[in-house]
Amino acid sequence: MPTARERVLKTLRHEATDRAPRDLWVAPGVEMLRFDEVAEIQFRYPSDLVRPDFRPPRGARSKGTPCDAGEYIDAWGCVFRSPRRGTAGELVASPLADASQVAAYRLPWELIERMNLSAINRSCAATSRFVLAQTDVRPFERFQLLRGRSASLADLYQATKPARDLLDMLHDYYAREIEVWAGTDVDGVAFQDEWGTAQGLALPLDAWRGLFKPMYREFCEILRGRDKFAFFRTGGNVAEIFGDLVEIGIDAIHCQPARLPFESLAAQYRNRVTFWVGIDDPHVLVQGPVAAIHGGVRQLRAALDFGRGGIIAQCDWTLDVPFDHVAALFEQWLAPLPAHAHAR
């Protein structure tokens, strides 16, 4: 029986595995309000991937507490408001809504300078599971939060000087954050950006390739140079850039199968990248029935699970997802492989 870490490593290398590794994402509200249920799921279906012992330092601009009711200001100066405890806040004010303020803006370098690296490394040494760092590296999303949603897209379409200057600042900052994580004992490092809409890419493909692809490539090169695996989280219809992400060296991609031509992407890339996926249709995961959850997992496995790695069984547990639906999802991942798995 392999250890959890060995199972994930085999999966990332597309080698034979006893089962797909599990990765449970528990939303802060679920941890705060339903901790008994979380403990039960973790006992029944322990995750093969874990996060290191890391609490981000509090930034100089920070005020309030994330996921508490009311307003919260993050370390970048972005203001969020949450209607009730346990839910993520909505952006209500951006510190760089006036583009003339970009030149004088100071990034929250204290978040990187005050990271507790010894605690991270101790937690890596204390587990036999694959340790994945979930970073705050998300240049496109952070650009939008700093400038405001509508202004940021206009900036990027027009390639204004403040936009280019701010992107350069974010590039330098996030490259440094990736470097720090790459120097720890974690096995992999995850970064993210929400690129897809229902219609397609949020920016024209040429703009994405000119502005953001070089950043991501550099992040992957930093990680590869320190023998770390690169994980990338995105959402929406990202079919246009899926091949680019594989090309620059992403090892595992989290995407939303229901919003993609998933079967064709799986057939094209399943031997070149690991699909880090779960059921992303909220009507299925939240409202059920359980038979639909089982069917959703079977569909993913039919496209990807041939007993030779390349797939991580992920589940996003938010406050509106019932306990028995999470259990049903992981239960189906343990069912015998379908007949097609033995024929390919």
Side-chain angles (χ1 to χ4, degrees), residues 53-329:
D53 181 7
F54 173 68
R55 287 189 176 87
R58 191 167 178 83
R61 299 183 184 93
S62 300
K63 293 183 180 178
T65 304
C67 295
D68 268 357
E71 281 194 355
Y72 164 69
I73 303 176
D74 73 6
W76 300 74
C78 302
V79 183
F80 301 86
R81 183 175 296 126
S82 178
R84 63 190 175 97
R85 184 170 181 260
T87 59
E90 292 289 331
L91 179 71
V92 295
S94 299
L96 300 179
D98 180 350
S100 67
Q101 297 176 310
V102 169
Y105 182 73
R106 184 186 182 281
L107 278 69
W109 287 99
E110 69 272 13
L111 298 186
I112 297 176
E113 294 164 355
R114 293 162 48 200
M115 286 175 62
N116 188 341
L117 304 184
S118 59
I120 293 168
N121 289 338
R122 282 196 301 271
S123 66
C124 294
T127 183
S128 61
R129 295 190 275 184
F130 185 97
V131 182
L132 177 64
Q134 181 57 60
T135 72
D136 189 48
V137 176
R138 43 176 176 157
F140 178 54
E141 290 181 29
R142 181 53 67 181
F143 187 94
Q144 294 180 81
L145 293 172
L146 290 171
R147 283 283 290 130
R149 302 291 186 187
S150 58
S152 63
L153 291 177
D155 282 351
L156 294 172
Y157 273 100
Q158 297 166 19
T160 64
K161 185 178 186 305
R164 296 195 305 271
D165 290 345
L166 182 55
L167 282 179
D168 286 344
M169 293 162 65
L170 291 173
H171 185 172
D172 292 344
Y173 180 91
Y174 283 136
R176 179 56 186 153
E177 184 175 347
I178 290 285
E179 286 175 350
V180 172
W181 278 111
T184 70
D185 293 339
V186 300
D187 299 299
V189 177
F191 55 101
Q192 65 185 23
D193 262 327
E194 290 294 320
W195 275 113
T197 68
Q199 292 73 38
L201 208 59
L203 283 181
L205 182 59
D206 287 347
W208 182 87
R209 284 177 171 163
L211 296 172
F212 291 92
K213 184 178 178 180
M215 285 195 215
Y216 298 157
R217 186 191 300 276
E218 181 178 338
F219 301 160
C220 291
E221 289 171 351
I222 293 169
L223 294 171
R224 189 160 49 247
R226 300 300 292 269
D227 199 26
K228 308 297 181 186
F229 290 93
F231 284 59
F232 185 74
R233 291 174 54 174
T234 191
N237 186 347
V238 292
E240 271 191 296
I241 64 171
F242 201 93
D244 292 80
L245 296 173
V246 176
E247 174 207 322
I248 64 175
I250 301 292
D251 295 293
I253 300 174
H254 176 263
C255 56
Q256 295 178 294
R259 303 189 183 190
L260 292 167
F262 187 68
E263 284 75 13
S264 63
L265 286 176
Q268 186 174 0
Y269 294 109
R270 64 180 166 228
N271 295 318
R272 298 172 58 191
V273 73
T274 291
F275 287 75
W276 181 26
V277 290
I279 295 175
D280 58 292
D281 185 336
H283 296 293
V284 173
L285 198 54
V286 175
Q287 300 172 6
V290 166
I293 294 172
H294 286 169
V297 172
R298 284 195 296 269
Q299 186 175 6
L300 292 175
R301 298 185 74 187
L304 292 165
D305 192 0
F306 304 101
R308 297 194 298 274
I311 183 169
I312 294 172
Q314 180 269 337
C315 178
D316 193 4
W317 192 359
T318 57
L319 268 175
D320 50 358
V321 176
F323 169 90
D324 61 334
H325 288 192
V326 178
L329 181 145

